[in-house]
PDB file of all heavy atoms in Angstrom:
ATOM      1  N   ASN A  33      15.626  -6.231   9.847  1.00 44.00           N
ATOM      2  CA  ASN A  33      16.180  -6.060   8.587  1.00 44.00           C
ATOM      3  C   ASN A  33      17.682  -6.565   8.554  1.00 44.00           C
ATOM      4  O   ASN A  33      18.099  -7.231   7.657  1.00 44.00           O
ATOM      5  CB  ASN A  33      16.095  -4.600   8.067  1.00 44.00           C
ATOM      6  CG  ASN A  33      14.820  -4.239   7.454  1.00 44.00           C
ATOM      7  OD1 ASN A  33      14.179  -5.153   6.950  1.00 44.00           O
ATOM      8  ND2 ASN A  33      14.424  -2.928   7.580  1.00 44.00           N
ATOM      9  N   ARG A  34      18.342  -6.166   9.641  1.00 41.00           N
ATOM     10  CA  ARG A  34      19.776  -6.587   9.696  1.00 41.00           C
ATOM     11  C   ARG A  34      19.926  -8.177   9.789  1.00 41.00           C
ATOM     12  O   ARG A  34      20.738  -8.775   9.279  1.00 41.00           O
ATOM     13  CB  ARG A  34      20.499  -5.932  10.817  1.00 41.00           C
ATOM     14  CG  ARG A  34      20.854  -4.509  10.659  1.00 41.00           C
ATOM     15  CD  ARG A  34      21.836  -4.003  11.717  1.00 41.00           C
ATOM     16  NE  ARG A  34      21.187  -3.925  13.074  1.00 41.00           N
ATOM     17  CZ  ARG A  34      20.578  -2.888  13.454  1.00 41.00           C
ATOM     18  NH1 ARG A  34      20.354  -1.775  12.847  1.00 41.00           N
ATOM     19  NH2 ARG A  34      20.110  -2.925  14.684  1.00 41.00           N
ATOM     20  N   ASN A  35      18.935  -8.665  10.616  1.00 42.00           N
ATOM     21  CA  ASN A  35      19.001 -10.158  10.781  1.00 42.00           C
ATOM     22  C   ASN A  35      18.666 -10.876   9.407  1.00 42.00           C
ATOM     23  O   ASN A  35      19.097 -12.022   9.211  1.00 42.00           O
ATOM     24  CB  ASN A  35      17.944 -10.617  11.830  1.00 42.00           C
ATOM     25  CG  ASN A  35      18.483 -10.125  13.167  1.00 42.00           C
ATOM     26  OD1 ASN A  35      19.725  -9.928  13.456  1.00 42.00           O
ATOM     27  ND2 ASN A  35      17.450  -9.928  14.147  1.00 42.00           N
ATOM     28  N   GLN A  36      17.736 -10.258   8.573  1.00 45.00           N
ATOM     29  CA  GLN A  36      17.382 -10.870   7.360  1.00 45.00           C
ATOM     30  C   GLN A  36      18.197 -10.532   6.200  1.00 45.00           C
ATOM     31  O   GLN A  36      18.000 -11.118   5.131  1.00 45.00           O
ATOM     32  CB  GLN A  36      15.888 -10.450   7.073  1.00 45.00           C
ATOM     33  CG  GLN A  36      14.889 -11.087   8.003  1.00 45.00           C
ATOM     34  CD  GLN A  36      13.412 -10.769   7.534  1.00 45.00           C
ATOM     35  OE1 GLN A  36      13.207  -9.888   6.707  1.00 45.00           O
ATOM     36  NE2 GLN A  36      12.554 -11.605   7.916  1.00 45.00           N
ATOM     37  N   SER A  37      19.157  -9.664   6.372  1.00 45.00           N
ATOM     38  CA  SER A  37      19.890  -9.161   5.293  1.00 45.00           C
ATOM     39  C   SER A  37      20.664 -10.328   4.611  1.00 45.00           C
ATOM     40  O   SER A  37      20.813 -10.370   3.301  1.00 45.00           O
ATOM     41  CB  SER A  37      20.882  -8.100   5.568  1.00 45.00           C
ATOM     42  OG  SER A  37      21.772  -8.566   6.608  1.00 45.00           O
ATOM     43  N   HIS A  38      21.243 -11.290   5.416  1.00 43.00           N
ATOM     44  CA  HIS A  38      22.009 -12.399   4.817  1.00 43.00           C
ATOM     45  C   HIS A  38      21.044 -13.254   3.953  1.00 43.00           C
ATOM     46  O   HIS A  38      21.500 -13.688   2.798  1.00 43.00           O
ATOM     47  CB  HIS A  38      22.582 -13.146   5.925  1.00 43.00           C
ATOM     48  CG  HIS A  38      23.393 -14.405   5.375  1.00 43.00           C
ATOM     49  ND1 HIS A  38      24.684 -14.275   4.751  1.00 43.00           N
ATOM     50  CD2 HIS A  38      23.103 -15.616   5.380  1.00 43.00           C
ATOM     51  CE1 HIS A  38      25.077 -15.498   4.371  1.00 43.00           C
ATOM     52  NE2 HIS A  38      24.127 -16.341   4.767  1.00 43.00           N
ATOM     53  N   THR A  39      19.910 -13.585   4.393  1.00 42.00           N
ATOM     54  CA  THR A  39      18.990 -14.469   3.696  1.00 42.00           C
ATOM     55  C   THR A  39      18.382 -13.829   2.424  1.00 42.00           C
ATOM     56  O   THR A  39      18.018 -14.449   1.501  1.00 42.00           O
ATOM     57  CB  THR A  39      17.855 -14.976   4.631  1.00 42.00           C
ATOM     58  OG1 THR A  39      17.105 -13.776   4.987  1.00 42.00           O
ATOM     59  CG2 THR A  39      18.383 -15.699   5.813  1.00 42.00           C
ATOM     60  N   GLU A  40      18.381 -12.508   2.406  1.00 53.00           N
ATOM     61  CA  GLU A  40      17.816 -11.789   1.247  1.00 53.00           C
ATOM     62  C   GLU A  40      18.911 -11.489   0.164  1.00 53.00           C
ATOM     63  O   GLU A  40      18.517 -11.094  -0.885  1.00 53.00           O
ATOM     64  CB  GLU A  40      17.126 -10.522   1.710  1.00 53.00           C
ATOM     65  CG  GLU A  40      15.894 -10.681   2.479  1.00 53.00           C
ATOM     66  CD  GLU A  40      15.110  -9.447   2.842  1.00 53.00           C
ATOM     67  OE1 GLU A  40      15.785  -8.345   2.669  1.00 53.00           O
ATOM     68  OE2 GLU A  40      13.984  -9.516   3.434  1.00 53.00           O
ATOM     69  N   ASP A  41      20.197 -11.584   0.456  1.00 74.00           N
ATOM     70  CA  ASP A  41      21.111 -11.421  -0.391  1.00 74.00           C
ATOM     71  C   ASP A  41      21.071 -12.137  -1.753  1.00 74.00           C
ATOM     72  O   ASP A  41      21.287 -11.541  -2.788  1.00 74.00           O
ATOM     73  CB  ASP A  41      22.542 -11.623   0.216  1.00 74.00           C
ATOM     74  CG  ASP A  41      23.007 -10.468   0.986  1.00 74.00           C
ATOM     75  OD1 ASP A  41      22.355  -9.443   0.960  1.00 74.00           O
ATOM     76  OD2 ASP A  41      23.934 -10.741   1.803  1.00 74.00           O
ATOM     77  N   PRO A  42      20.756 -13.420  -1.799  1.00 85.00           N
ATOM     78  CA  PRO A  42      20.723 -14.091  -3.042  1.00 85.00           C
ATOM     79  C   PRO A  42      19.627 -13.561  -3.992  1.00 85.00           C
ATOM     80  O   PRO A  42      19.795 -13.450  -5.195  1.00 85.00           O
ATOM     81  CB  PRO A  42      20.425 -15.644  -2.712  1.00 85.00           C
ATOM     82  CG  PRO A  42      20.988 -15.736  -1.333  1.00 85.00           C
ATOM     83  CD  PRO A  42      20.806 -14.411  -0.719  1.00 85.00           C
ATOM     84  N   PHE A  43      18.452 -13.124  -3.280  1.00 82.00           N
ATOM     85  CA  PHE A  43      17.414 -12.575  -4.148  1.00 82.00           C
ATOM     86  C   PHE A  43      17.827 -11.288  -4.670  1.00 82.00           C
ATOM     87  O   PHE A  43      17.461 -10.914  -5.803  1.00 82.00           O
ATOM     88  CB  PHE A  43      16.208 -12.518  -3.144  1.00 82.00           C
ATOM     89  CG  PHE A  43      14.897 -12.133  -3.837  1.00 82.00           C
ATOM     90  CD1 PHE A  43      14.343 -13.015  -4.927  1.00 82.00           C
ATOM     91  CD2 PHE A  43      14.203 -10.933  -3.645  1.00 82.00           C
ATOM     92  CE1 PHE A  43      13.216 -12.647  -5.544  1.00 82.00           C
ATOM     93  CE2 PHE A  43      13.094 -10.617  -4.327  1.00 82.00           C
ATOM     94  CZ  PHE A  43      12.503 -11.440  -5.208  1.00 82.00           C
ATOM     95  N   LYS A  44      18.502 -10.442  -3.831  1.00 84.00           N
ATOM     96  CA  LYS A  44      19.012  -9.112  -4.379  1.00 84.00           C
ATOM     97  C   LYS A  44      19.943  -9.315  -5.452  1.00 84.00           C
ATOM     98  O   LYS A  44      19.876  -8.616  -6.511  1.00 84.00           O
ATOM     99  CB  LYS A  44      19.667  -8.354  -3.202  1.00 84.00           C
ATOM    100  CG  LYS A  44      19.983  -6.947  -3.559  1.00 84.00           C
ATOM    101  CD  LYS A  44      20.574  -6.191  -2.429  1.00 84.00           C
ATOM    102  CE  LYS A  44      21.978  -6.642  -2.010  1.00 84.00           C
ATOM    103  NZ  LYS A  44      22.499  -5.803  -0.981  1.00 84.00           N
ATOM    104  N   ILE A  45      20.899 -10.241  -5.387  1.00 87.00           N
ATOM    105  CA  ILE A  45      21.813 -10.460  -6.408  1.00 87.00           C
ATOM    106  C   ILE A  45      21.150 -11.008  -7.794  1.00 87.00           C
ATOM    107  O   ILE A  45      21.467 -10.509  -8.826  1.00 87.00           O
ATOM    108  CB  ILE A  45      22.819 -11.595  -6.090  1.00 87.00           C
ATOM    109  CG1 ILE A  45      23.718 -10.977  -4.857  1.00 87.00           C
ATOM    110  CG2 ILE A  45      23.787 -11.997  -7.238  1.00 87.00           C
ATOM    111  CD1 ILE A  45      24.620 -11.998  -4.215  1.00 87.00           C
ATOM    112  N   PHE A  46      20.159 -11.755  -7.634  1.00 88.00           N
ATOM    113  CA  PHE A  46      19.296 -12.246  -8.635  1.00 88.00           C
ATOM    114  C   PHE A  46      18.626 -11.079  -9.452  1.00 88.00           C
ATOM    115  O   PHE A  46      18.680 -10.945 -10.701  1.00 88.00           O
ATOM    116  CB  PHE A  46      18.186 -13.250  -8.244  1.00 88.00           C
ATOM    117  CG  PHE A  46      17.190 -13.552  -9.285  1.00 88.00           C
ATOM    118  CD1 PHE A  46      17.439 -14.348 -10.330  1.00 88.00           C
ATOM    119  CD2 PHE A  46      15.958 -13.037  -9.242  1.00 88.00           C
ATOM    120  CE1 PHE A  46      16.479 -14.710 -11.263  1.00 88.00           C
ATOM    121  CE2 PHE A  46      14.922 -13.325 -10.139  1.00 88.00           C
ATOM    122  CZ  PHE A  46      15.252 -14.165 -11.153  1.00 88.00           C
ATOM    123  N   ILE A  47      18.178 -10.043  -8.745  1.00 86.00           N
ATOM    124  CA  ILE A  47      17.575  -8.926  -9.223  1.00 86.00           C
ATOM    125  C   ILE A  47      18.626  -8.038 -10.027  1.00 86.00           C
ATOM    126  O   ILE A  47      18.226  -7.633 -11.226  1.00 86.00           O
ATOM    127  CB  ILE A  47      16.901  -8.055  -8.121  1.00 86.00           C
ATOM    128  CG1 ILE A  47      15.738  -8.789  -7.564  1.00 86.00           C
ATOM    129  CG2 ILE A  47      16.414  -6.704  -8.683  1.00 86.00           C
ATOM    130  CD1 ILE A  47      15.127  -8.266  -6.222  1.00 86.00           C
ATOM    131  N   ILE A  48      19.732  -7.837  -9.381  1.00 89.00           N
ATOM    132  CA  ILE A  48      20.706  -7.002 -10.058  1.00 89.00           C
ATOM    133  C   ILE A  48      21.212  -7.617 -11.300  1.00 89.00           C
ATOM    134  O   ILE A  48      21.369  -6.899 -12.374  1.00 89.00           O
ATOM    135  CB  ILE A  48      21.941  -6.859  -9.080  1.00 89.00           C
ATOM    136  CG1 ILE A  48      21.525  -6.005  -7.842  1.00 89.00           C
ATOM    137  CG2 ILE A  48      23.128  -6.203  -9.794  1.00 89.00           C
ATOM    138  CD1 ILE A  48      22.558  -5.969  -6.696  1.00 89.00           C
ATOM    139  N   VAL A  49      21.536  -8.995 -11.377  1.00 92.00           N
ATOM    140  CA  VAL A  49      21.944  -9.658 -12.514  1.00 92.00           C
ATOM    141  C   VAL A  49      20.902  -9.573 -13.709  1.00 92.00           C
ATOM    142  O   VAL A  49      21.257  -9.290 -14.777  1.00 92.00           O
ATOM    143  CB  VAL A  49      22.376 -11.120 -12.238  1.00 92.00           C
ATOM    144  CG1 VAL A  49      22.649 -11.835 -13.534  1.00 92.00           C
ATOM    145  CG2 VAL A  49      23.506 -11.090 -11.317  1.00 92.00           C
ATOM    146  N   LEU A  50      19.702  -9.752 -13.237  1.00 91.00           N
ATOM    147  CA  LEU A  50      18.691  -9.824 -14.235  1.00 91.00           C
ATOM    148  C   LEU A  50      18.426  -8.375 -14.860  1.00 91.00           C
ATOM    149  O   LEU A  50      18.238  -8.183 -16.040  1.00 91.00           O
ATOM    150  CB  LEU A  50      17.333 -10.322 -13.693  1.00 91.00           C
ATOM    151  CG  LEU A  50      16.417 -11.075 -14.589  1.00 91.00           C
ATOM    152  CD1 LEU A  50      17.083 -12.205 -15.324  1.00 91.00           C
ATOM    153  CD2 LEU A  50      15.117 -11.629 -13.884  1.00 91.00           C
ATOM    154  N   LEU A  51      18.438  -7.400 -13.930  1.00 90.00           N
ATOM    155  CA  LEU A  51      18.377  -5.991 -14.427  1.00 90.00           C
ATOM    156  C   LEU A  51      19.517  -5.683 -15.382  1.00 90.00           C
ATOM    157  O   LEU A  51      19.235  -4.954 -16.417  1.00 90.00           O
ATOM    158  CB  LEU A  51      18.373  -4.998 -13.268  1.00 90.00           C
ATOM    159  CG  LEU A  51      16.976  -4.926 -12.521  1.00 90.00           C
ATOM    160  CD1 LEU A  51      17.180  -4.076 -11.253  1.00 90.00           C
ATOM    161  CD2 LEU A  51      15.936  -4.305 -13.366  1.00 90.00           C
ATOM    162  N   ALA A  52      20.674  -6.102 -15.077  1.00 93.00           N
ATOM    163  CA  ALA A  52      21.850  -5.789 -15.903  1.00 93.00           C
ATOM    164  C   ALA A  52      21.679  -6.451 -17.277  1.00 93.00           C
ATOM    165  O   ALA A  52      21.969  -5.860 -18.367  1.00 93.00           O
ATOM    166  CB  ALA A  52      23.114  -6.266 -15.310  1.00 93.00           C
TER     167      ALA A  52
END
Side-chain angles (χ1 to χ4, degrees):
N33 276 329
R34 286 193 295 269
N35 292 335
Q36 288 191 338
S37 60
H38 177 74
T39 60
E40 290 183 351
D41 280 345
F43 190 61
K44 185 176 73 173
I45 293 172
F46 169 74
I47 292 169
I48 294 172
V49 171
L50 210 53
L51 283 173

